[in-house]
Amino acid sequence: MFATALTAAISLFQMPADVQLPAGLEDRSIQMVLQATETHFVAHNTASEVQLLLFGNDIHGVVSTVHVQPGMHVVFPFADGASDDVWIEVVSPSDIGLTNTGAISVLDLRGAAERTIWVEAGAGYALGWQNTSSGLRHVHPVGGLVPTRRGLSRTGLRDFSLQSSTHVPVISPNDDQRPPKPPKIEEEALPPI
């Protein structure tokens, strides 16, 4: 019984605490508040419409979806390190249909100040905000979880899947640096056997 109570107390201690909305976001249409620790994920729907959370990663795509009702919290506990490769994408209703944030890495969410990202949705866009030491800044998606298909543009959903492609560095040409010439191969006779 003591072990169960201790486990419950430790679990509650590791859950994210409520965070005040930053002053710069007071006039914005904040739809969701996402928070994460090493062992918990919390999403709070602050909008008057149902929000959709997509969970997945760049290898498997979407592996789970959750509808979050207006005013509701969802809490997901997990083992330490189990969410390191997980992405979250928020899909919100808007005047033009649906909008999406692009995938946000749980590692980026945990690395944000206060381990919190506020999701704003407007007419034709949805984006995440995080508080930094230099003020508020947008969260850049690491990719996309919304399945690519025809008609995305009609509903307002954006395809962020191209952002997850691997970056290949390209050497810029420079007059001062020339690439080394390949080694010269001379023909030589083979030794007798």
Side-chain angles (χ1 to χ4, degrees):
M1 172 129 177
F2 177 72
T4 304
L6 181 62
T7 303
I10 290 172
S11 179
L12 287 174
F13 177 71
Q14 293 176 346
M15 280 188 53
D18 288 335
V19 177
Q20 283 290 104
L21 183 67
L25 296 178
E26 290 171 345
D27 297 335
R28 304 285 183 147
S29 176
I30 301 301
Q31 304 290 310
M32 293 284 289
V33 179
L34 307 176
Q35 295 180 290
T37 65
E38 284 75 15
T39 59
H40 286 82
F41 170 78
V42 176
H44 178 218
N45 183 353
T46 59
S48 58
E49 300 91 13
V50 174
Q51 305 291 311
L52 177 65
L53 294 176
L54 306 176
F55 294 89
N57 59 30
D58 60 338
I59 297 170
H60 298 99
V62 176
V63 295
S64 182
T65 60
V66 176
H67 289 87
V68 184
Q69 299 298 321
M72 299 294 293
H73 280 80
V74 292
V75 179
F76 297 109
F78 45 81
D80 192 5
S83 69
D84 290 352
D85 296 329
V86 174
W87 292 357
I88 303 159
E89 186 161 357
V90 179
V91 178
S92 301
S94 75
D95 297 341
I96 63 167
L98 298 173
T99 59
N100 57 320
T101 59
I104 299 168
S105 166
V106 171
L107 285 177
D108 290 345
L109 176 56
R110 287 196 324 234
E114 300 150 338
R115 299 177 177 204
T116 304
I117 291 176
W118 294 270
V119 176
E120 174 189 10
Y125 72 92
L127 52 95
W129 290 92
Q130 68 179 2
N131 211 356
T132 66
S133 58
S134 59
L136 290 169
R137 74 174 181 91
H138 292 191
V139 176
H140 297 287
V142 294
L145 292 174
V146 171
T148 305
R149 64 179 185 274
R150 295 177 78 176
L152 280 179
S153 60
R154 286 189 304 226
T155 64
L157 294 173
R158 293 179 49 201
D159 184 5
F160 289 94
S161 62
L162 296 176
Q163 294 189 17
S164 65
S165 61
T166 306
H167 171 71
V168 178
V170 177
I171 299 172
S172 300
N174 189 343
D175 293 336
D176 298 337
Q177 298 175 350
R178 295 187 179 215
K181 292 183 179 179
K184 188 173 183 178
I185 300 174
E186 298 179 17
E187 291 186 25
E188 294 182 18
L190 293 175
I193 298 181

